Amino acid sequence: MRFGFTEDQLMLRDTVREILARECTPEVVRAVWEKKSPKTPYGTLAEAGVLGMTLTEEQGGLGLDETDAALPLEEAGYAALPEPIVEAIAALPVVAAHGGGAWAEKIAAGEARLSISIGDARLVAFAEQADVFLRYDGKKLYLAPREEVALEMQVSVDRTRSIAVPRFTDEGATVLAEGAEAAELAALVFDRAALGSALFLNGLSRKMLELAVEYAKDRVQFGRPIGSQQAVKHRLADALIALEFAKPLAYRAAWSVAVADPERSLHVSLAKLRASEAARFVAKQSLQVHGAIGYTIEHDLHLWMKRAWALAAAYGTEDFHRDRIGRAILNEA
Amino acid sequence: MDLRFTEKEEAFRAECRAWLEANVPKEPLPSGDTAEGFALHVEWEKKLFEARWAVVSWPEEYGGRGASLFEWLIFEEEYYRAGAPNRVTQNGIFLLAPTIFEFGTEEQKKRILRPMAAAEHLWAQGWSEPNAGSDLASLKSTARRVEGGWRLTGQKTWCTRGAFCDSAFGLFRTDPTQERHKGLTYFLFPLKGEGVTVRGVDRLDGDLGFAEVFLEDVFVPDRDVLGEVNKGWEVAMATTSSERGLSLRSPGRFMATASRLVDLYKRYRETCDPALRKEVIDAYAAAEAYRWYTFGTVTRMSQGGEIGADSSMNKVYWSEMDVRTHEAALAMIGDRLELDEGSPAAEDHASWLKGFQFALAGPIYAGTNEIQRNIIAERVLGLPRK
């Protein structure tokens, strides 16, 4: 038993952290929010091998697994990266192994973006940016190029998320799998995306907590920093506890996915449930500590908070994952 | 990352499980916090020690197995899974022993550790005083230098099982010119003998779990000073960190409680409020989170890291989780929740009620959760003290 990360994994995290600190500043996130199409680090992450990291070396990837991807995905959340990195890491191994090699290569190279639509999920994210959609309709798993998908654009509370209600046709589709195999692969991609979202959410939480702590140290009222008051301290201590006890479940689920543990879905649900709860909780605490300035669009907090709200519901709401856990542990019919 | 247990660890688990299955009393023992129950628990501890399961992580020379921290966690999982009795040696083996291993002399280790593990000499903690609870550094008990040792005077309180134990450990002011954390010394002192009066105090659940201890010029020889004179605070902090952190509350205990709650729900799901399903799932998820958090901590410690202020997060987390889990059980039991021990109609209801009352102590002892949150905010998050 060794429940920690290797030197290599920590180095990869640091590489991603540096890229994002340089190229995914709050100004960049805000510019995406304002539809100014800034340069994002999507290309740089591709060059560093991050987008295709879960592809084998023969497929043009780094041959890494979910435990290697865990910390980079957390960093992506910390920077509120407005790009489909969760989707790329979740989907590419399945896409590449089942006849979608050309698409996988382009996405890993940062030349295309992929969005995911599994089962009866009503919305797709990254709708405008996506060049291709990985779709499972209950019968087959296929790749649908952008031009063949009718998108009814919606407005997300997080304006960096381009969301739409999609209507798929079979036109131009590359079918990856059918029947039982398709169901199995779709379930795997869904679990990977839920896991990636859990990790991303934990990164968002870390940033929201950090913003609140810094603010509480600086903001002086009644002649002293508000962070010296116990009522504020206790809120932030609770936020830290929520986050720190969500993280290990996400790392454990990463391992379970990587080794195809028979209880993979249970472990992913535990991770996603706790990460979503923690992120909503940390967001609330952070907003309260910021006071009125946090309740503005001018302040950066909302960029992280609204992403947290959106992702808490993506790839399975809390109720969905709680129910999955219940069915696994309560011997329900 | 490698989340598989090694063959050696799996063999350890199997050996442990087999022994517990063969030896754990079929009927639960009466509470170890009563005179009758305490004696039976001491018998159980002796049996554990003879089979070398009492202190698995200690070196063999003191009755342990030199087990790794992971093996210790495995032992704890199996111990609570088997429903084995609560550990009445706990204050000694989990709170005092780590401090003796770190600060004790060779003579102290040889004299104290083995009888402690063998339940031949039983230890109570003596931290609090009537006016020094969360603010431990305001304590008033004193120790006066005399030929060959010290004379202790003062009052300690909330001494766990103090009415049944042989000795206690705690802090005394040895330099009256110094204040607060300075000028304190860590003493091991008798709970029986000249100048010592012990008065048992009934706890919330009715058991004689507490005691207050009055000391009047009680002689303690030099060999019962632990660590340096006037450095007692630093020495004691090593122990309180274990009390809040890993050793007092291993995940095995909470996983066992969560699993009992799942079983209870299976019995009651047809009749109880459907909303309780959520509580059961959340309790399970919370226990799993604690288990994996602990595996992370132990991995870090195995590589030379320390718990430090993280132990405060641990303590807030498990103590509040334990209360919620018991609340869910009581809600399921419905109007029978008030059935206390001795009610003919009580099945396992009374044990949940007792567990609930015990859980309520968690956010209070070992430093209240309010103090823990201050520690987390100041030492982990770096918020200003003033």
Side-chain angles (χ1 to χ4, degrees):
Chain A
M1 172 69 65
R2 184 179 175 283
F3 191 41
F5 292 96
T6 62
E7 284 302 314
D8 285 351
Q9 288 168 334
L10 295 176
M11 274 170 57
L12 181 59
R13 174 200 65 187
D14 291 344
T15 303
V16 172
R17 182 179 287 178
E18 282 159 26
I19 292 172
L20 294 173
R22 219 171 38 236
E23 300 184 30
C24 191
T25 59
E27 291 71 36
V28 171
V29 180
R30 185 174 287 279
V32 174
W33 175 282
E34 292 165 357
K35 311 277 182 245
K36 289 180 182 159
S37 307
K39 182 179 176 298
T40 74
Y42 195 66
T44 314
L45 289 169
E47 275 167 40
V50 175
L51 298 180
M53 64 190 290
T54 48
L55 292 172
T56 64
E57 287 176 29
E58 296 78 55
Q59 291 164 341
L62 300 180
L64 299 176
D65 67 22
E66 283 72 13
T67 65
D68 302 298
L71 296 177
L73 284 167
E74 216 176 274
E75 290 304 317
Y78 180 76
L81 176 69
E83 291 285 2
I85 186 173
V86 167
E87 286 72 12
I89 287 176
L92 289 197
V94 167
V95 170
H98 296 271
W103 274 115
E105 226 168 89
K106 282 179 80 172
I107 292 158
E111 292 157 9
R113 289 173 172 80
L114 173 140
S115 175
I116 294 176
S117 167
I118 285 178
D120 46 15
R122 278 173 292 233
L123 300 171
V124 287
F126 303 101
E128 267 170 7
Q129 298 102 313
D131 300 285
V132 64
F133 292 82
L134 178 65
R135 167 73 184 156
Y136 175 65
D137 60 10
K139 292 184 188 119
K140 54 188 187 305
L141 182 71
Y142 59 93
L143 288 170
R146 166 81 169 84
E147 54 276 15
E148 301 299 340
V149 183
L151 296 169
E152 186 196 352
M153 296 306 299
Q154 313 291 325
V155 182
S156 170
V157 63
D158 174 1
R159 301 284 191 274
T160 68
R161 275 168 72 82
S162 155
I163 52 166
V165 174
R167 202 158 38 79
F168 290 93
T169 60
D170 285 0
E171 292 295 312
T174 310
V175 176
L176 304 180
E178 292 181 87
E181 191 194 17
E184 210 172 284
L185 291 174
L188 176 60
V189 171
F190 177 84
D191 278 353
R192 280 193 180 136
L195 165 66
S197 304
L199 291 156
F200 199 101
L201 280 159
N202 289 338
L204 291 169
S205 294
R206 180 154 54 87
K207 177 70 175 191
M208 291 188 287
L209 177 59
E210 201 178 284
L211 286 170
V213 167
E214 289 312 310
Y215 186 77
K217 284 184 196 169
D218 290 345
R219 172 72 173 166
V220 173
Q221 289 286 274
F222 301 106
R224 54 194 277 200
I226 61 168
S228 68
Q229 305 278 9
Q230 286 204 13
V232 173
K233 282 181 180 166
H234 290 191
R235 268 187 197 281
L236 296 177
D238 285 338
L240 178 68
I241 291 169
L243 168 61
E244 289 304 315
F245 283 87
K247 277 158 58 181
L249 286 178
Y251 302 153
R252 184 268 202 117
W255 164 266
S256 295
V257 173
V259 303
D261 188 292
E263 294 196 308
R264 175 197 82 202
S265 293
L266 167 62
H267 300 167
V268 166
S269 283
L270 286 164
K272 179 67 165 54
L273 170 63
R274 298 286 296 201
S276 298
E277 284 180 333
R280 287 190 309 107
F281 180 75
V282 173
K284 255 196 307 197
Q285 306 311 315
S286 185
L287 174 60
Q288 184 67 21
V289 167
H290 278 89
I293 189 67
Y295 197 75
T296 65
I297 297 290
E298 280 173 31
H299 195 277
D300 288 341
L301 173 63
H302 83 111
L303 299 169
W304 275 261
M305 182 162 58
K306 289 171 179 168
R307 188 77 61 83
W309 296 344
L311 280 186
Y315 301 112
T317 60
E318 285 163 46
D319 282 345
F320 170 90
H321 287 290
R322 192 179 282 113
D323 188 57
R324 242 180 25 160
I325 299 165
R327 280 183 281 119
I329 66 166
L330 299 174
N331 304 46
E332 288 169 348
Chain B
M1 193 178 292
D2 185 350
L3 307 191
R4 292 166 302 181
F5 287 108
T6 61
E7 272 178 37
K8 182 168 165 277
E9 286 162 345
E10 292 291 4
F12 178 86
R13 186 188 290 278
E15 187 188 350
C16 179
R17 184 174 291 191
W19 188 86
L20 288 165
E21 270 170 15
N23 290 281
V24 168
K26 298 289 171 261
E27 285 296 312
L29 301 181
S31 164
D33 299 334
T34 60
E36 179 210 5
F38 186 79
L40 292 169
H41 278 74
V42 168
E43 288 315 304
W44 163 252
E45 284 293 338
K46 292 190 162 143
K47 198 168 173 177
L48 264 185
F49 182 77
E50 276 159 29
R52 292 200 307 126
W53 291 113
V55 284
V56 293
S57 59
W58 291 15
E60 290 187 22
E61 57 178 312
Y62 304 119
R65 291 173 178 244
S68 70
L69 275 172
F70 279 113
E71 286 168 333
W72 176 72
L73 290 178
I74 290 170
F75 167 79
E76 291 278 303
E77 288 187 359
E78 293 302 319
Y79 191 86
Y80 287 103
R81 182 182 169 275
N86 285 340
R87 307 292 307 271
V88 292
T89 52
Q90 159 176 303
N91 280 202
I93 63 175
F94 291 151
L95 304 190
L96 174 57
T99 315
I100 292 183
F101 277 117
E102 194 170 338
F103 297 95
T105 62
E106 278 312 303
E107 184 277 327
Q108 285 172 326
K109 289 180 194 167
K110 288 206 162 61
R111 171 165 55 93
I112 298 168
L113 291 172
R114 220 180 151 86
M116 174 196 291
E120 286 162 6
H121 195 94
L122 290 140
W123 291 87
Q125 55 80 16
W127 294 129
S128 293
E129 294 183 3
N131 291 308
S134 290
D135 183 12
L136 184 61
S138 69
L139 63 90
K140 295 277 191 313
S141 296
T142 58
R144 182 168 55 87
R145 195 85 181 96
V146 293
E147 178 75 30
W150 301 79
R151 291 274 174 185
L152 272 46
T153 298
Q155 183 185 350
K156 298 290 181 184
T157 192
W158 319 134
C159 303
T160 314
R161 289 179 284 274
F164 316 122
C165 287
D166 303 297
S167 296
F169 49 95
L171 294 174
F172 292 78
R173 204 159 284 287
T174 37
D175 182 350
T177 66
Q178 304 251 35
E179 288 190 341
R180 308 236 356 123
H181 310 81
K182 292 178 184 153
L184 300 172
T185 300
Y186 194 124
F187 282 97
L188 312 176
F189 59 96
L191 287 174
K192 291 164 184 168
E194 211 184 316
V196 182
T197 311
V198 177
R199 187 181 79 86
V201 178
D202 287 336
R203 240 173 19 195
L204 182 70
D205 62 1
D207 286 355
L208 196 60
F210 282 149
E212 49 185 358
V213 177
F214 302 87
L215 304 163
E216 275 181 276
D217 238 19
V218 176
F219 180 74
V220 168
D222 279 325
R223 64 175 197 167
D224 284 338
V225 171
L226 187 51
E228 267 183 68
V229 171
N230 292 335
K231 292 281 183 210
W233 187 262
E234 291 79 353
V235 177
M237 282 307 109
T239 318
T240 55
S241 177
S242 334
E243 185 182 20
R244 283 171 207 153
L246 254 183
S247 51
L248 185 61
R249 293 289 179 258
S250 63
R253 170 188 291 243
F254 304 109
M255 290 165 57
T257 311
S259 142
R260 282 175 58 221
L261 182 70
V262 166
D263 290 342
L264 190 72
Y265 175 76
K266 287 178 186 167
R267 274 164 47 202
Y268 281 81
R269 66 175 139 206
E270 305 302 331
T271 52
C272 75
D273 179 349
L276 287 169
R277 179 175 184 267
K278 173 179 183 294
E279 301 300 319
V280 174
I281 296 165
D282 286 346
Y284 172 84
E288 280 284 300
Y290 187 63
R291 182 178 192 232
W292 289 96
Y293 180 86
T294 304
F295 283 154
T297 305
V298 167
T299 298
R300 238 175 34 246
M301 288 172 76
S302 312
Q303 294 163 347
E306 291 188 2
I307 299 193
D310 285 5
S311 66
S312 293
M313 287 203 276
N314 230 20
K315 197 261 164 170
V316 171
Y317 185 87
W318 64 248
S319 59
E320 297 181 2
M321 164 175 75
D322 202 27
V323 172
R324 279 196 305 274
T325 307
H326 283 88
E327 281 172 341
L330 292 186
M332 223 174 279
I333 287 167
D335 66 356
R336 280 172 293 180
L337 83 85
E338 73 172 285
L339 290 178
D340 212 338
E341 291 169 300
S343 302
E347 294 158 22
D348 55 357
H349 308 126
S351 74
W352 281 107
L353 178 64
K354 186 151 189 89
F356 169 64
Q357 292 180 82
F358 186 73
L360 286 177
I364 300 171
Y365 64 70
T368 63
N369 285 10
E370 283 71 21
I371 296 299
Q372 306 305 339
R373 286 184 165 92
N374 288 350
I375 294 173
I376 295 163
E378 288 162 18
R379 301 201 200 145
V380 185
L381 294 176
L383 289 170
R385 292 204 58 181
K386 287 189 173 131

